[in-house]
Amino acid sequence: MKLPFAEPFKIKMVENLKRTTKEEREKYIKDSYYNLFNLKSELVFIDLLTDSGTGAMSDIQWSELMKGDESYAGSRSYYQLKEAIKDILGFEYFLPTHQGRAAENVLFSVLIKKGDIIPGNSHFDTTKGHIEFRGGKAVDCTIDEGFDPTLNYPFKGNVDLNKLERVFKENPIEKIPFVIVTITNNTGGGQPVSLENIKQVSALCKKYGVRLFIDGARFAENAYFIKEREEAYKNKTIREIVKELFSYVDGMTMSSKKDGMVNMGGFIAMRDPELFREASVFNIMFEGFVTYGGMNGRDMAALARGLYESTEYDYLEYRVKQVEYLGKKLKEYGVPILEPVGGHAVFIDAKRFFPHIPQSEYPAQLLGVELYIEGGVRGVEIGTILADRDPETGKERFPKLELLRLAIPRRVYTNNHMDYVAVAAANVFEKRNDIKRGFKIIYEAPIMRHFTVKLKRL
Ligand code: F0G
């Protein structure tokens, strides 16, 4: 017999979970104004809100914490991280930040002026937030295939070169400070971008003299998909793929809470010493001195190790296969999901789950609430609430995709947990027609409203 797949690690420490009843959960979520961000984590049984900062570090990473150097300037841990970034990603310069959005804040402070246009592939919400906050405009150039939740296409995160070139041609080029490509494309369903696509985007950017940056939060998962799905790279190692990918771009922003395998942290990496000097000024102002920038020495040491662990093939195979496993189970129960399954999360398609509930009643949020009540499982809405209002018209934006994301923390849950999640979702699906109405908003913030929104059942 062929040996079955098993996790390439064993468990050294456990964290106990508390169980609650359905009746209790109904009360907890009502008291939280049906906003899953308002729930205390101990009232959640399986927490798939995010894969960001929620992973388990390895024994070696924990031992790195003990070796961290907390010197204000010139910390040994900073140089350890600098080495790892050079070795794995190939960038000469880097600035640590306290997380990914802080990296965006620093880099965009240098590069974006009011009225600028920043094309990309479905910018993540904090990326879009930081662009719009500066009076810029994020233009989504994702390929059309990326918006069809049932289409099985290997690289749904790809940038449409025609759409991108149209943006270059139709606008004064000096209004386009850079292009940002997010790998994997989180907002679009954790979908990968092919190396061929990166190469072509890079060539197009060079032709027009526009800089190209990568939002690399899940760069290692993206590299795994390149190895599995892109013929030309099937015999390359993950690290070779990663190195080649970043060789085509000017720099990156990173949320180390994902493929950095740490609980907090981020960085900007780049090739241009002048950009590094300019960004250093903002880093010192917003984050901290250039050799710590909002990170503890020990956390930089754990991150340096994390970059090596996340680019190991065995780890990535386990990681992506667990996400696939949940997707497969959900499909078996008839629950409509976005396909193919992404690298860090399974996205349930709320438009097909609740076809009788209009987007103006937030069907993906409704699904999230019902799944919590059913099984104590917490996902996150990637739909109309997250899309915010149009900053110019004040009108709600109804995105093409209305999804509930079940993001899986790295090295945290077993496949028994995945089985439990799938049954909870199947139970909600069984009674979907008894659920007749969604929500209305009773409070919302002017930007990134999803974190603090308050809802009322209709
Ligand atoms: N870029 C991407 C693609 C992200 O997914 C995130 C965060 C960020 C940037 C910002 O990084 O949180 O460290 O400031 N995504 C989390 C998520 C929050 O749940 O997907 P951050």
Side-chain angles (χ1 to χ4, degrees):
M1 271 197 286
K2 185 172 183 278
L3 290 170
F5 181 76
E7 288 79 2
F9 54 80
K10 54 185 178 175
I11 297 165
K12 197 179 272 223
M13 192 185 282
V14 296
E15 203 178 332
N16 287 320
L17 297 172
K18 189 175 146 184
R19 311 203 72 150
T20 52
T21 66
K22 225 184 251 191
E23 292 66 38
E24 286 170 336
R25 291 193 291 270
E26 257 169 37
K27 179 180 174 329
Y28 299 147
I29 193 67
K30 183 160 185 263
D31 292 348
S32 304
Y33 294 96
Y34 300 102
N35 180 341
L36 293 149
F37 286 98
N38 286 338
L39 282 173
K40 284 187 179 159
S41 64
E42 58 194 21
L43 305 179
V44 176
F45 184 53
I46 299 179
D47 204 348
L48 308 183
L49 182 74
T50 180
D51 63 321
S52 181
T54 52
M57 291 205 297
S58 69
D59 50 353
I60 299 178
Q61 284 182 291
W62 277 100
S63 69
E64 287 294 340
L65 293 184
M66 296 303 295
K67 296 192 284 179
D69 174 6
E70 305 304 334
S71 303
Y72 191 98
S75 152
R76 185 179 62 243
S77 307
Y78 164 84
Y79 286 103
Q80 190 181 339
L81 179 55
K82 186 175 163 65
E83 276 290 300
I85 288 173
K86 179 83 212 294
D87 188 26
I88 292 194
L89 307 167
F91 293 109
E92 198 64 53
Y93 300 98
F94 98 102
L95 289 165
T97 61
H98 77 273
Q99 60 183 87
R101 68 200 69 184
E104 292 163 358
N105 186 32
V106 170
L107 183 69
F108 297 0
S109 292
V110 180
L111 297 177
I112 301 180
K113 294 185 304 297
K114 193 167 186 301
D116 280 353
I117 293 160
I118 293 89
N121 56 340
S122 320
H123 313 62
F124 183 66
D125 59 342
T126 61
T127 317
K128 189 142 115 234
H130 273 295
I131 292 169
E132 290 176 353
F133 177 70
R134 290 171 172 78
K137 192 168 172 228
V139 181
D140 188 353
C141 298
T142 310
I143 54 170
D144 290 337
E145 288 86 339
F147 299 103
D148 180 348
T150 58
L151 184 74
N152 214 313
Y153 187 82
F155 292 104
K156 280 175 138 177
N158 277 0
V159 175
D160 185 322
L161 297 162
N162 292 324
K163 288 185 195 171
L164 182 61
E165 188 155 27
R166 217 174 307 136
V167 179
F168 286 169
K169 281 187 173 153
E170 287 172 2
N171 297 283
I173 207 74
E174 64 279 6
K175 288 260 170 228
I176 308 172
F178 62 95
V179 170
I180 188 153
V181 177
T182 304
I183 63 171
T184 56
N185 183 349
N186 183 9
T187 311
Q191 300 294 319
V193 178
S194 73
L195 227 164
E196 187 56 32
N197 190 245
I198 299 274
K199 244 196 256 188
Q200 289 167 336
V201 172
S202 170
L204 196 62
C205 285
K206 284 207 174 81
K207 182 173 152 198
Y208 285 86
V210 176
R211 276 177 162 143
L212 174 58
F213 287 89
I214 294 280
D215 173 345
R218 300 179 182 84
F219 75 93
E221 288 162 13
N222 198 92
Y224 175 83
F225 284 119
I226 288 172
K227 184 171 168 68
E228 294 301 302
R229 297 181 185 171
E230 208 168 340
E231 186 59 29
Y233 294 93
K234 71 169 194 239
N235 294 323
K236 300 259 186 209
T237 65
I238 296 292
R239 296 218 181 109
E240 284 167 345
I241 293 169
V242 167
K243 210 44 161 310
E244 180 175 338
L245 191 151
F246 285 108
S247 75
Y248 298 118
V249 307
D250 296 290
M252 69 185 292
T253 54
M254 178 70 186
S255 167
S256 307
K257 303 167 73 171
K258 286 87 169 175
D259 281 350
M261 311 286 266
V262 291
N263 301 114
M264 194 56 71
F267 59 83
I268 312 164
M270 68 284 262
R271 251 174 260 294
D272 177 4
E274 185 49 36
L275 178 62
F276 171 73
R277 274 191 287 276
E278 287 176 284
S280 296
V281 176
F282 290 100
N283 213 68
I284 291 169
M285 215 154 48
F286 298 148
E287 294 294 301
F289 182 61
V290 293
T291 63
Y292 74 88
M295 287 187 75
N296 296 313
R298 54 182 173 272
D299 290 338
M300 289 192 282
L303 169 56
R305 170 71 194 171
L307 291 173
Y308 286 97
E309 292 185 6
S310 76
T311 49
E312 275 166 18
Y313 182 82
D314 284 355
Y315 156 73
L316 282 168
E317 184 186 33
Y318 138 75
R319 164 75 178 148
V320 175
K321 282 201 167 156
Q322 182 170 54
V323 181
E324 237 175 58
Y325 177 83
L326 175 61
K328 202 165 133 254
K329 283 270 154 189
L330 286 167
K331 258 188 90 169
E332 278 168 22
Y333 295 131
V335 176
I337 59 167
L338 189 144
E339 288 181 85
V341 167
H344 67 296
V346 178
F347 292 69
I348 303 182
D349 184 350
K351 278 190 184 174
R352 279 186 291 146
F353 197 104
F354 287 132
H356 55 289
I357 298 191
Q359 268 184 296
S360 57
E361 293 183 15
Y362 317 114
Q365 181 69 17
L366 179 64
L367 176 52
V369 166
E370 296 300 334
L371 184 61
Y372 172 70
I373 294 171
E374 176 64 28
V377 176
R378 173 158 72 170
V380 73
E381 189 244 30
I382 308 273
T384 304
I385 298 179
L386 180 74
D388 268 335
R389 289 174 188 274
D390 187 307
E392 277 160 30
T393 67
K395 289 218 170 74
E396 285 205 301
R397 297 186 270 210
F398 295 110
K400 288 184 194 137
L401 297 174
E402 183 77 29
L403 307 167
L404 179 75
R405 185 185 75 173
L406 303 175
I408 304 181
R410 293 166 182 78
R411 306 189 287 207
V412 169
Y413 292 114
T414 67
N415 282 5
N416 282 332
H417 290 113
M418 298 301 116
D419 289 340
Y420 177 100
V421 171
V423 170
N427 290 351
V428 178
F429 191 59
E430 275 278 313
K431 56 180 183 212
R432 64 193 178 280
N433 290 322
D434 303 335
I435 302 164
K436 307 261 190 251
R437 298 294 302 270
F439 297 109
K440 77 170 196 195
I441 290 181
I442 54 175
Y443 165 78
E444 64 186 295
I447 197 163
M448 291 195 216
R449 63 180 182 176
H450 60 290
F451 289 120
T452 51
V453 72
K454 290 184 179 173
L455 300 163
K456 190 171 176 289
R457 272 200 200 267
L458 285 166

